[in-house]
């Protein structure tokens, strides 16, 4: 579990160096090793602007509208997932990120012996990089981060991949969004989530 930083951070520029990635062909649906205990999950909006709030709602709905065996319902307290935005700066703990998933203490999350998360997962946008992103690009970043909260790990599309072969869990989701304009879970993401729940 020493590579959580590299697994959970969406890197803005250095995606080729992220550890524990698998290509879609080598490991179709890599997992983090932790997940929620139930397929009935709750999320809380902790964003600071209406632009981030709308993207948060759309990202959750993007997951809820898939053919998965779980549902994420909005609550005002007692959430499994808290969606937030904050300024992590250009570099945070050695990471250059657009989004990250942490525990409530802003530490790398851990799971218990049953393989479930010990605490609420907080999925973040880094305002430093995302404040000028379009609503759909923000949504793509948060769909990716929610995927981590669900228990999905990064994948890395092989060089020369086409847009049809890339998943939202790609480590370079912000770059793939710029090339392919997708902001919803793709078939590989959905299959991975269905293996978990």
């Amino acid at each position: 579990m020493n590579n959580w930083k590299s697994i959970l951070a969406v890197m803005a520029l250095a995606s080729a160096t992220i550890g524990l990635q698998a290509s879609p062909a080598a490991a179709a649906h890599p997992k983090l090793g932790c997940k929620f205990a139930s397929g009935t999950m709750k999320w809380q909006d902790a964003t600071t602007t209406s632009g981030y709030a709308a993207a948060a709602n759309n990202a959750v709905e993007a997951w809820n509208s898939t053919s998965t065996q779980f549902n994420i319902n909005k609550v005002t307290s007692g959430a499994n997932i808290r969606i937030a935005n904050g300024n992590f700066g250009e570099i945070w703990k050695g990471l250059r990120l657009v989004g990250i998933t942490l525990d409530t203490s802003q530490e790398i999350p851990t799971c218990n012996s049953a393989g479930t998360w010990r605490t609420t997962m907080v999925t973040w946008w880094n305002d430093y990089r995302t404040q000028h992103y379009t609503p759909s690009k923000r949504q793509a970043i948060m769909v990716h981060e929610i995927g981590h909260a669900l228990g999905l790990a990064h994948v890395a599309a092989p060089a020369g991949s086409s847009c049809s072969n890339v998943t939202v869990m790609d480590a370079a989701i912000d770059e793939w969004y710029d090339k392919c304009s997708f902001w919803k879970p793709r078939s590989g993401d959905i299959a991975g989530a269905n293996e978990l729940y």
Side-chain angles (χ1 to χ4, degrees), residues 19-176:
L20 294 181
Q21 297 174 15
S23 70
H29 316 294
K31 314 296 184 305
L32 293 175
C34 291
K35 65 178 192 167
F36 294 112
S38 167
T40 302
M41 293 163 262
K42 299 174 272 186
W43 79 279
Q44 181 179 3
D45 183 351
T47 60
T48 60
T49 69
S50 60
Y52 281 108
N57 280 300
N58 291 339
V60 172
E61 181 53 33
W63 275 108
N64 281 340
S65 65
T66 62
S67 57
T68 52
Q69 304 303 308
F70 61 82
N71 198 37
I72 310 169
N73 301 301
K74 191 172 186 178
V75 296
T76 56
S77 64
N80 305 99
I81 303 170
R82 189 173 304 134
I83 300 177
N85 61 292
N87 190 335
F88 287 79
E90 183 176 353
I91 304 290
W92 181 77
K93 294 189 177 185
L95 300 171
R96 197 174 168 146
L97 56 95
V98 297
I100 194 164
T101 299
L102 300 168
D103 68 15
T104 55
S105 299
Q106 287 196 339
E107 297 295 332
I108 303 306
T110 59
C111 53
N112 60 29
S113 60
T116 57
W117 297 117
R118 292 183 190 275
T119 184
T120 297
M121 303 300 290
V122 186
T123 57
W124 292 91
W125 283 284
N126 180 5
D127 288 348
Y128 182 85
R129 298 197 183 283
T130 62
Q131 64 182 325
H132 300 297
Y133 280 13
T134 64
S136 55
K137 188 170 182 178
R138 283 184 186 168
Q139 178 181 328
I141 300 302
M142 193 47 57
V143 167
H144 176 103
E145 294 305 327
I146 292 169
H148 286 317
L150 293 171
L152 298 173
H154 280 151
V155 295
S161 292
S162 69
C163 292
S164 62
N165 296 329
V166 179
T167 75
V168 79
M169 293 311 299
D170 195 279
I173 182 58
D174 56 328
E175 295 172 17
W176 281 108

